[in-house]
Structures are given as structure tokens and as C-alpha cells.
Amino acid sequence: MRINRAALPFEWLNKFLYSPWYFLFLGGLTVLSNVFCMELYAYPVLLLTGVCVCLFGRDLLPVFPIFACGYISPSVGNNPGLNEDSVFSLSGGGIYLAIFLSLLVASLIYRLVTDPDFGGKKFLQKKRVLLSGMLVLAITYAISGLTSGQWEEYGLRNLLFAGIQLVAIAGLYYLLSGAVRWEMAPREYLAWTGICVGYVLLVEMLNIYITNDAIVDGSIRRDVLNTGWGHYNSIGALLTIVLPLPFLLTDTRHAKFAYLSVLLFYITLVFTCSRGSILVGTGIYGLGYILSLVHSRHARRQFLVHIGMVALAVFAVVFLREKLLQLFISLKNAGLSSPERMETYHEGINQFLKYPVFGGSFFPVDFWPYAWATADTFATLFPPRWHNTFVQLLATGGVVCLAAYLLHRAQTVMLFAKNCTTEKLIAGLSVLALLMASMVDCHFFNVGPVLTYSAVLAFVECQLNEPKKLK
């Protein structure tokens, strides 16, 4: 039976799914879950919303913000990496949540099979220029450590983790590129998703500071900046990734809101005290601001906004410098060097030199880097990582894995270079933020940041390749 998705009440539903109200709804659910430990209420609603999108939405674009918000929803008490009995465990509510997840998967498959506009063969035959590189990279992940002797003990776990990486890097790209009616998709949808995630992270950081007594004697205690899905480095990296996306709205009537949002996200980023993310985010902020001015005459006309930004920076430097230095004394004391990371890099290179062709697998051989997860079930599936993309690739999969990554990277560069516009470059800053932040951490091998990366690539390939008429 064919569903007429243009009829009422589906017409009202689709207007909602493509409006800012939808993002407010998802953001509110995410805050309820993360701040008030209401995962058992919030996740079913998120998943059932996904079911409604799959069955009644005009396409599957609104699934993207559901995944983006779902990743940052866990509360600190239900962190699956630290709590064996969290709501995500089988004893704590995992079966209950799995039922709703299975409904979403079933509805997704049904839509992809039956939709007359993009389902069936149309979905499978959709041209995806980055897919080959993603698949090659995933294959090299799967065979990593092939000659290291690790497979007898870690082979299955290595395959499982490689599968998770494939879903993260290719899942949303594959789904969105084929199951979205891009000719009808709002051009600002990527920006609004980034804004939604950014404001949720802002609220989560406020909650962390309030509940964890993060400021003592006028200084920030960086070690207590933790939430249910990661710590300060994870929060900082995701903020850096979404930081440039509001700039996509600077040629619309929402320009003032966009500039204010970016400023608030940057301030929140600074308060994560994540050194690498702050360094990268500062550069991304500056580049994004410049591109926004090039992007649109409307953006250049925001004189009060630009004057206010400069005035705020001058005020902070002149009048608040001493207080800010005291507040961020932990950052100053930490400096830019990290002996622990240097040791990790050294040992990772040693593992590569020992197994140069296929590496030692995702599960280290002789030296185990620092891992924040203590729950056995989580640590069994998610191995410790080497805190640098190239060290990780070489230690894990050797020159084979590095070659596959360079192929994928070459394809993404060509994607951005073809029909290059300022709009594509602004979206590209989100990709660049992930890649640069991953030089000092393991973000390219974490699920949440790469899900956003995957979706951004779909937007760039399927929507932003066509130049937008500038205003």
C-alpha cells in the first residue's frame, strides 16, 4: 500500500520536520536525557520520531539530526564506558531500548525498499563518488594486524570495531546521498543541525560546571569536565566540528543569530579547556568569519555585529585579562606539550616498525595507550587508540591502511575542489576541524564526530555542488 505523504496530517508533519521547531524539539529531548538522566524516556521518543520520519516523511533527511542528538544524549551517570549497569546495559534497560531501535531499523528498511522516488534499485544504484574510498578504508581496517599474531585473540573484536568504523564513516553518507530528495531539501538544513548540536553542547557544559563545582578558587578544574558520552576533549572536538556551520546562514535573515551562535560556541569551546580543540577552533573561527564575509554582501552589511565582535575581544583583553588568566590557569600550567602523548606516539611508531605492512590491529600489541573507559563490556569492543590519525593508521594497519586513508582523503579533496564555492568551503571547515583535531587525539576513530563528518560529505556532494545564488 502506497502512503500519500503529501496529504494531511503528513503535510503538517513535513513542515515541522523541516522547520527550526524540529531542532528545538530534538535539542530539548537531548537536554532532558543528558542533564536529567531521562534516557529511558528521551531515547524512545527520539527513536519513534525516527520511525515517523521513515514512514511518513517526504524523505529521510530529518534522520540526520536524530543521530547527531542521540550521540550526545547519555547522562554522566549512564556513561556506558564507565558504568556496567547503565541504562544501555541489558540489565539496565538495553532490551527496552533495543525494541524501539528495532522498530526504527524495520521502518527504515521498509522505506528504502518501497519508496517510489528513491527506494529499491534507485537507492542502490545512486552514484556516490566517495563510497569506493570509504569501502577500501574499511577493508583495510578489517584486515589490520593480519600478520601480527593478534588475530587468534583479537580477530573477531577487530572485525567488530572495523564494522563500527564503517557504519560511522559511510552510514549517514550512504543513507542521505540516496534517500533524500535533494532538489527539495532546505539549503540551510546542515546549518540548523549544527546550531542544534552546538546549543545542546552549550547547555551540557553549563550543567557540568554547575553540578561538578568546576570552578574552585577562581580557577577551572579541567579534570571534572566530563559527561555521559565523553570528557572535555570529546566535547571540545564536537564543538569545533559544528562551530563553522552557522556561518552558512550569514547570507539569510538569520545572519545576526548565526554570528551570535558561532561566538557562543567558541566561548563554550574555550571553557572545555581542550588544548587541541581550542587551537584548531580558533583558526576555524577566523577562517569561517572571513569566508562568511566573502560569501555574501548581506553578511558584510552586519556592521553592528562586526563592530560588537571586535569591541568584545578588546574588552576581554584589556579589562578581563588577569581574571581570564587565573580562570584558565590549568591550561597555562598544562602548556602545549604532552609527555604522555609523545610516549604514545613513540610506541605507536614502534608497533608500525614491527609490523609495517598490516600493522598490529586495533588492539595494541606490546603497549596499551591510555583508555578512559573502565567498563569491561565497553572496553572489550572499543580499544584504546593512539591519539593521532597517522600514528593510529600506521600502528593499526601499516602502510596498507595509510594508503587506503590517503585514497579516501584524495577523493574528499577532489570533491571540495570541483565547483568550489565559499559555501562548500564553509562546510569544508567542519571536515577540516575534525581532521586537525584528530592530529592530537583519536576523534577520527570515535563514532559521533565521524557521523557528522559522514553527513557533511553527503551535503557537499549532493547539495552544495550546485552554486547558491548570492544575496
Side-chain angles (χ1 to χ4, degrees), residues 423-446:
E423 197 177 18
K424 285 180 72 172
L425 290 176
I426 290 172
L429 289 178
S430 178
V431 173
L432 181 64
L434 170 63
L435 301 182
M436 295 304 295
S438 298
M439 291 298 99
V440 292
D441 224 312
C442 50
H443 305 302
F444 192 74
F445 299 88
N446 288 337

Side-chain angles (χ1 to χ4, degrees), residues 45 317 393:
V45 176
V317 171
L393 292 165

Side-chain angles (χ1 to χ4, degrees), residues 15-79:
K15 286 182 179 179
F16 171 70
L17 293 175
Y18 291 89
S19 73
W21 295 106
Y22 177 57
F23 296 101
L24 187 63
F25 166 71
L26 294 180
L29 279 176
T30 307
V31 168
L32 283 175
S33 176
N34 179 270
V35 174
F36 299 102
C37 306
M38 296 180 66
E39 289 94 338
L40 291 179
Y41 301 96
Y43 271 102
V45 176
L46 281 173
L47 294 170
L48 288 176
T49 301
V51 171
C52 289
V53 171
C54 291
L55 294 180
F56 309 121
R58 74 177 182 220
D59 59 25
L60 300 187
L61 182 57
V63 167
F64 168 40
I66 292 176
F67 279 98
C69 289
Y71 177 76
I72 56 176
S73 293
S75 61
V76 65
N78 285 308
N79 189 324

Side-chain angles (χ1 to χ4, degrees), residues 141-142 144 158 161-162 165 360-364 383-386 392 396 445:
Y141 284 175
S144 62
N158 193 77
F161 189 72
Q165 293 297 301
S361 84
F362 277 104
F363 292 84
R385 276 145 284 174
W386 298 94
Q392 177 75 48
T396 296
F445 299 88

Side-chain angles (χ1 to χ4, degrees), residues 2 28 81 101 105 115 124 138 153 160 189 198 217 234 261 267 289 303 307 311 375 399:
R2 180 172 178 176
L101 180 61
V105 172
D115 190 276
L124 297 175
E153 183 175 1
L160 286 173
Y189 209 82
D217 296 329
S234 303
S261 297
I267 293 172
Y289 210 114
F303 299 114
I307 293 171
V399 293

Side-chain angles (χ1 to χ4, degrees), residues 151-452:
W151 270 64
E152 183 175 345
E153 183 175 1
Y154 295 114
L156 179 59
R157 289 162 63 181
N158 193 77
L159 287 172
L160 286 173
F161 189 72
I164 292 171
Q165 293 297 301
L166 173 61
V167 171
I169 199 170
L172 281 179
Y173 167 78
Y174 190 81
L175 176 66
L176 296 179
S177 59
V180 174
R181 300 167 70 180
W182 288 103
E183 72 282 359
M184 300 177 65
R187 201 140 180 127
E188 297 80 19
Y189 209 82
L190 177 60
W192 284 114
T193 303
I195 288 171
C196 175
V197 171
Y199 276 106
V200 169
L201 294 177
L202 188 157
V203 174
E204 290 186 2
M205 280 297 295
L206 283 174
N207 178 63
I208 291 170
Y209 268 80
I210 293 171
T211 58
N212 290 5
D213 294 326
I215 299 178
V216 175
D217 296 329
S219 299
I220 297 173
R221 300 165 56 210
R222 191 171 69 148
D223 58 302
V224 302
L225 304 181
N226 303 296
T227 189
W229 52 273
H231 58 27
Y232 53 89
N233 280 335
S234 303
I235 303 169
L238 197 51
L239 272 166
T240 306
I241 292 167
V242 302
L243 181 70
L245 296 181
F247 284 125
L248 291 169
L249 294 181
T250 53
D251 66 337
T252 72
R253 61 188 178 90
H254 303 292
K256 291 183 177 65
F257 175 70
Y259 281 118
L260 175 62
S261 297
V262 178
L263 176 62
L264 291 175
F265 297 168
Y266 180 73
I267 293 172
T268 307
L269 169 62
V270 172
F271 274 86
T272 67
C273 295
S274 174
R275 292 170 293 176
S277 295
I278 293 171
L279 184 63
V280 173
T282 300
I284 294 295
Y285 190 2
L287 288 172
Y289 210 114
I290 294 170
L291 284 174
S292 73
L293 297 177
V294 176
H295 182 49
S296 167
R297 291 192 300 271
H298 182 71
R300 294 192 289 273
R301 293 192 191 108
Q302 307 298 316
F303 299 114
L304 291 179
V305 172
H306 306 317
I307 293 171
M309 295 288 185
V310 174
L312 183 64
V314 171
F315 179 82
V317 171
V318 174
F319 297 102
L320 301 178
R321 188 168 65 91
E322 294 301 325
K323 290 185 177 180
L324 291 174
L325 287 175
Q326 174 61 28
L327 187 63
F328 295 100
I329 192 68
S330 61
L331 270 181
K332 180 182 177 182
N333 292 338
L336 294 177
S337 63
S338 176
E340 296 83 4
R341 275 187 174 82
M342 295 308 298
E343 180 187 13
T344 299
Y345 300 158
H346 176 74
E347 293 295 339
I349 295 300
N350 284 342
Q351 180 166 302
F352 160 66
L353 294 175
K354 191 174 182 180
Y355 309 105
V357 180
F358 293 104
S361 84
F362 277 104
F363 292 84
V365 181
D366 299 316
F367 174 87
W368 281 63
Y370 167 78
W372 62 271
T374 57
D376 290 339
T377 304
F378 189 92
T380 297
L381 190 57
F382 290 88
R385 276 145 284 174
W386 298 94
H387 295 278
N388 174 279
T389 299
F390 291 105
V391 175
Q392 177 75 48
L393 292 165
L394 291 170
T396 296
V399 293
V400 172
C401 203
L402 178 62
Y405 175 81
L406 293 177
L407 170 64
H408 170 60
R409 190 55 53 233
Q411 289 183 337
T412 57
V413 170
M414 288 188 289
L415 173 64
F416 280 95
K418 183 179 179 181
N419 301 325
C420 188
T421 64
T422 53
E423 197 177 18
K424 285 180 72 172
L425 290 176
I426 290 172
L429 289 178
S430 178
V431 173
L432 181 64
L434 170 63
L435 301 182
M436 295 304 295
S438 298
M439 291 298 99
V440 292
D441 224 312
C442 50
H443 305 302
F444 192 74
F445 299 88
N446 288 337
V447 173
V450 181
L451 281 174
T452 303

